């Protein structure tokens, strides 16, 4: 009797375990993805695009989630561009630059983003973005302006080598400009003070007729 009872219990437990496993498989592979997919679609309808993208990315291979990641990210980027969230828009358009007109919108948002960086005096970052969007509007001119403004910032901080090298990156820079010759001269003086006389002479020559050059050449 005990053996029959144990056998019956084993069968019940085995059946219960199989049922639980089958339920979990259905739960995680059918029910939960379906609920999440429906939630993502509702987020799109309510224009909560970021939340929708996050869910579609979690679902990945479920139904057409892969396509919806791209189309929803486009809507997200367009919304960010309209709200002048240029950095976020630029980043998102970069991720989908082959989708519809994303390449053009990437340039537009990048232009706004780079101008904001320029205003914040983050010149290297601005230069990188201007460079990435090609010849969009006045990107080339603003990139040159970043080099010039950055050079002046370096000069003010007595980083004369950086100042002169950045100035040299300005399109058609003037070798006789007072700012450039002053940068070369002051860098040369720094080199004399550190004992690098050969380097000092090179930049004293570049300094041209800047005041004090002849005396510093003698010192070097």
């Amino acid at each position: 009797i005990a053996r029959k009872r144990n056998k019956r219990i084993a069968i019940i437990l085995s059946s219960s375990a199989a049922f639980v496993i089958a339920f979990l498989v259905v739960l995680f592979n059918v029910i939960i993805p379906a609920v999440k997919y429906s939630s993502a679609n509702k987020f799109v309808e309510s224009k909560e695009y970021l939340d929708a993208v996050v869910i579609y990315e979690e679902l990945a291979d479920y139904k057409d989630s892969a396509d919806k990641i791209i189309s929803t990210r486009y809507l997200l980027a367009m919304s960010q561009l309209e709200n002048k969230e240029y950095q976020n828009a630029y980043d998102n358009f970069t991720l989908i630059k082959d989708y519809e007109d994303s390449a053009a919108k990437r340039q537009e948002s990048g232009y706004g983003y780079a101008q904001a960086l320029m205003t914040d005096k983050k010149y290297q970052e601005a230069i990188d973005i201007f460079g990435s969007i090609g010849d969009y509007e006045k990107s080339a001119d603003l990139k040159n302006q970043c080099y010039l403004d950055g050079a002046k910032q370096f000069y003010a901080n007595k980083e004369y080598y950086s100042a002169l090298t950045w100035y040299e990156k300005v399109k058609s820079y003037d070798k006789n400009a007072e700012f450039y010759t002053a940068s070369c001269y002051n860098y040369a003086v720094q080199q004399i003070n550190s004992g690098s006389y050969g380097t000092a002479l090179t930049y004293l020559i570049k300094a041209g007729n800047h005041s004090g050059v002849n005396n510093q050449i003698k010192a070097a």
Side-chain angles (χ1 to χ4, degrees):
I1 294 173
R3 288 180 180 177
K4 287 183 179 180
R5 186 184 303 114
N6 290 337
K7 186 176 181 181
R8 192 179 305 116
I9 292 172
I11 292 171
I12 292 171
L13 290 175
S14 178
S15 298
S16 298
F19 174 78
V20 170
I21 292 171
F23 173 74
L24 290 175
V25 169
V26 172
L27 177 66
F28 287 104
N29 292 297
V30 179
I31 298 174
I32 291 178
V35 171
K36 285 186 175 182
Y37 183 80
S38 177
S39 296
N41 290 339
K42 289 179 181 178
F43 277 131
V44 173
E45 290 173 6
S46 60
K47 298 183 178 181
E48 298 175 76
Y49 302 121
L50 181 57
D51 291 328
V53 168
V54 170
I55 294 174
Y56 287 134
E57 287 180 337
E58 288 178 2
L59 295 172
D61 299 327
Y62 184 77
K63 291 188 175 181
D64 59 347
S65 293
D67 292 331
K68 289 201 170 186
I69 290 170
I70 297 172
S71 61
T72 307
R73 190 176 293 281
Y74 176 82
L75 294 173
L76 171 62
M78 286 294 292
S79 174
Q80 291 167 334
L81 179 57
E82 289 171 6
N83 292 325
K84 297 183 179 181
E85 299 173 36
Y86 296 120
Q87 180 179 358
N88 291 331
Y90 173 79
D91 290 341
N92 279 304
F93 281 125
T94 297
L95 292 173
I96 55 169
K97 59 185 177 182
D98 295 326
Y99 181 77
E100 294 189 358
D101 63 345
S102 291
K105 294 298 182 183
R106 176 180 175 274
Q107 287 183 308
E108 182 181 347
S109 55
Y111 190 72
Y113 176 32
Q115 286 181 303
L117 289 169
M118 192 175 176
T119 299
D120 291 338
K121 298 183 179 181
K122 297 179 180 178
Y123 299 118
Q124 184 59 67
E125 294 175 61
I127 287 166
D128 293 340
I129 301 299
F130 280 130
S132 76
I133 60 177
D135 58 354
Y136 184 82
E137 292 196 8
K138 297 181 179 180
S139 292
D141 292 336
L142 291 177
K143 184 178 178 181
N144 276 329
Q145 189 62 49
C146 282
Y147 278 127
L148 180 58
D149 291 345
K152 291 178 179 178
Q153 186 179 64
F154 282 126
Y155 188 89
N157 294 328
K158 297 184 179 180
E159 298 175 57
Y160 301 118
Y161 182 73
S162 294
L164 68 90
T165 53
W166 270 50
Y167 185 75
E168 287 173 349
K169 293 179 182 179
V170 176
K171 189 175 181 181
S172 301
Y173 75 94
D174 183 0
K175 294 181 180 179
N176 297 312
E178 184 178 352
F179 171 79
Y180 182 66
T181 58
S183 298
C184 291
Y185 174 80
N186 284 292
Y187 177 61
V189 171
Q190 286 180 335
Q191 293 305 296
I192 290 172
N193 292 335
S194 65
S196 300
Y197 304 116
T199 302
L201 285 169
T202 298
Y203 285 92
L204 285 170
I205 292 169
K206 285 189 174 186
N209 295 320
H210 185 79
S211 176
V213 166
N214 291 333
N215 289 333
Q216 292 300 335
I217 288 177
K218 292 176 182 178

